[in-house]
Amino acid sequence: MAARQYRDDERVKTYVDDINSMHKVVLETKNEASLLKMAENLKQNNIPYYLWTEQPENIPTCLATVPVVRSDLGDALKKCSLMR
């Protein structure tokens, strides 16, 4: 959804133009509060993202950023761990 919502962003265009080199990383967080904190960190770092909210429960469950290199993330997702 983030790629569609921000399809005019140059990072998204570059990412989808090279479909054979698409790289994805799935991270996990402990709970809803930490997920919302990450969303706030991304917002403060001007990194576009999309926050999925389950309906009808209205519970935030995950978020996706535009394609971004790790060095541009700063500490925005520092408290996440690689999902295994």
Side-chain angles (χ1 to χ4, degrees):
M1 187 59 130
R4 174 145 171 69
Q5 183 173 349
Y6 297 105
R7 64 185 167 271
D8 294 329
D9 186 294
E10 286 304 315
R11 294 168 289 197
V12 174
K13 289 179 182 179
T14 301
Y15 182 75
V16 298
D17 280 347
D18 192 6
I19 197 162
N20 293 322
S21 295
M22 287 183 168
H23 180 77
K24 293 151 207 67
V25 175
V26 179
L27 303 173
E28 65 181 339
T29 186
K30 296 182 187 291
N31 54 40
E32 181 181 338
S34 60
L35 180 66
L36 295 174
K37 177 65 176 164
M38 282 186 285
E40 182 59 32
N41 290 344
L42 291 168
K43 184 177 182 179
Q44 289 176 1
N45 284 288
N46 296 315
I47 298 170
Y49 67 92
Y50 181 82
L51 181 66
W52 268 272
T53 303
E54 290 296 321
Q55 297 300 333
E57 299 86 358
N58 202 35
I59 300 171
T61 56
C62 67
L63 60 83
T65 68
V66 297
V68 61
V69 293
R70 187 180 304 179
S71 61
D72 289 345
L73 285 172
D75 290 339
L77 304 179
K78 185 178 181 179
K79 301 235 177 183
C80 293
S81 58
L82 189 60
M83 187 169 183
R84 297 189 188 271

